[in-house]
Amino acid sequence: MGNYVSNYIGQDHESIPDPDDEGVRDIVSHWYVLAGSLLVVAVYIGIGTFSYALMEDWSIGESFYFSAVTLTTIGYGNLSPTTTLSRVFTMIYILIGLSMIGIALGIIGSYLLQRQNNLLERAVKVAEDYSTKKIEDEDDENQTLLEKMVSINWYNTWWFRTIISFGIIFVVSIINMVCFYFMGVDPDHNENGFFIAFYFSLVSSTTVGYGDFYPEHKASSVPFILVSTSIVAAALGNIADIIMNYQQEKMANKILNKGLTHKSITFMDADDDGQVDPKEFLEYMLVHMGKVDQATIQHINNQFNKLDADNSGYLDYDDLDSLVDQM
């Protein structure tokens, strides 16, 4: 271990991948985590499918469908366990599955939602590059509406992100509406068939599932149910995050614009020396803005003190050499 650390010191640090690099994060989140989540969902639904096919007088397709609507908490009610054994299995299946599958579907939905956001960001980047080029050639008064909107970063505002989240829910519902219509969601095929399909799509993707309608082609509807519930859950979660971030920003602005008082200096002065240095000011502001809690700040400070082997107040290669010698 000591040789490894010593060799690391002699390396060209620019050649070492930065863990904060976007490409490194994408490899981890988009491949390992996503693939693992998909595997968990597939295996657990597979367990339910074959178990219910053995315990109930259901086909593989019906068992597959029931496992999916159970784990997505939709529960239309057109199928339900009929024996004591299958009901006991269902209780266990739900308790274990909701925790594992909920996390897995959340990851999948977040990934799909992030893909949509990435496409939007790329489109905005193209528009921004175009806007920058035009600004270099023309006066500001000749800017187009698109260029002016890009210049004020409208795509980062809370209202735009909210519209996009609701827009994604609407688009998913429209796509599912067409699919569910041809899957026989409305067996009577009345004149409001597409409306019924849209209603069923929205009720299903939000996991409400009243049970007044359900697809006739059960197995083929499962992929649409899984994907739509994942995306809609991620979109609704994004809306909740927007509201929370908006409240945090209001609190942050209130704290930042608050005047300095004797009382606030007393609270900021962590070492009681009568003065507030930049570190103390930063810690105080981060804690009171809700960005981090005091316990985390203390943990980070303790970790720094452990790494600062010579108690110099900063970290350098001498500290690293001392740590290597202690190994």
Side-chain angles (χ1 to χ4, degrees), residues 19 23 98 160 162 172 232 290 303 323:
L98 287 185
F160 180 74
T162 303
V172 168
V232 170
Q303 183 66 18
L323 292 174

Side-chain angles (χ1 to χ4, degrees), residues 77-256:
N78 57 321
L79 284 178
S80 58
T82 59
T83 67
T84 301
L85 178 61
S86 62
R87 286 169 181 160
V88 171
F89 174 80
T90 299
M91 289 188 289
I92 299 173
Y93 190 70
I94 290 173
L95 291 175
I96 297 176
L98 287 185
S99 57
M100 293 194 309
I101 302 301
I103 295 173
L105 289 178
I107 292 172
I108 295 171
S110 298
Y111 168 76
L112 294 174
L113 186 64
Q114 186 60 45
R115 293 287 294 177
Q116 297 294 326
N117 290 337
N118 289 344
L119 291 175
L120 174 64
E121 289 176 2
R122 290 178 185 176
V124 169
K125 184 66 168 60
V126 171
E128 191 173 18
D129 291 342
Y130 172 78
S131 173
T132 303
K133 183 177 182 301
K134 291 287 289 182
I135 291 173
E136 292 175 354
D137 299 334
E138 300 178 3
D139 295 332
D140 289 346
E141 60 183 7
N142 294 326
Q143 285 182 308
T144 64
L145 177 61
L146 174 62
E147 291 165 351
K148 292 180 179 179
M149 293 177 71
V150 168
S151 66
I152 60 174
N153 290 331
W154 54 274
Y155 49 88
N156 283 328
T157 57
W158 67 267
W159 57 264
F160 180 74
R161 292 168 57 201
T162 303
I163 291 174
I164 288 298
S165 296
F166 278 113
I168 289 173
I169 296 174
F170 181 76
V171 169
V172 168
S173 298
I174 290 293
I175 294 174
N176 280 353
M177 174 192 73
V178 177
C179 298
F180 287 137
Y181 177 80
F182 292 104
M183 288 179 187
V185 145
D186 180 22
D188 297 330
H189 298 291
N190 58 48
E191 59 184 10
N192 294 324
F194 275 108
F195 172 76
I196 295 298
F198 181 78
Y199 161 81
F200 173 79
S201 173
L202 191 60
V203 167
S204 298
S205 60
T206 53
T207 73
V208 177
Y210 293 116
D212 47 353
F213 295 98
Y214 47 83
E216 291 183 347
H217 304 284
K218 298 178 177 63
S220 57
S221 67
V222 170
F224 299 98
I225 291 173
L226 291 176
V227 172
S228 63
T229 53
S230 301
I231 295 177
V232 170
L236 293 175
N238 189 44
I239 294 172
D241 287 340
I242 291 171
I243 296 174
M244 292 179 62
N245 289 336
Y246 177 72
Q247 294 297 329
Q248 282 189 344
E249 288 179 6
K250 285 181 60 177
M251 178 64 70
N253 290 331
K254 181 178 179 180
I255 293 174
L256 289 172

Side-chain angles (χ1 to χ4, degrees), residues 1-9 320-321 323-325 327:
M1 179 66 181
N3 292 334
Y4 173 80
V5 175
S6 300
N7 292 336
Y8 171 80
I9 297 174
L320 188 56
D321 291 338
L323 292 174
V324 171
D325 293 338
M327 294 179 181

Side-chain angles (χ1 to χ4, degrees), residues 249-320:
E249 288 179 6
K250 285 181 60 177
M251 178 64 70
N253 290 331
K254 181 178 179 180
I255 293 174
L256 289 172
N257 295 326
K258 188 177 181 180
L260 192 64
T261 64
H262 287 85
K263 187 176 181 180
S264 61
I265 290 179
T266 302
F267 280 117
M268 293 180 191
D269 186 15
D271 56 7
D272 297 324
D273 63 352
Q275 297 177 328
V276 177
D277 59 32
K279 175 177 172 291
E280 291 173 328
F281 181 79
L282 178 62
E283 291 179 359
Y284 175 87
M285 298 302 290
L286 288 176
V287 170
H288 284 77
M289 288 166 60
K291 303 296 183 181
V292 66
D293 55 56
Q294 189 62 51
T296 302
I297 292 289
Q298 187 61 45
H299 178 73
I300 294 173
N301 285 332
N302 291 339
Q303 183 66 18
F304 179 89
N305 292 333
K306 290 180 181 179
L307 295 174
D308 185 16
D310 56 6
N311 297 320
S312 61
Y314 52 83
L315 300 179
D316 53 21
Y317 287 109
D318 292 334
D319 294 316
L320 188 56

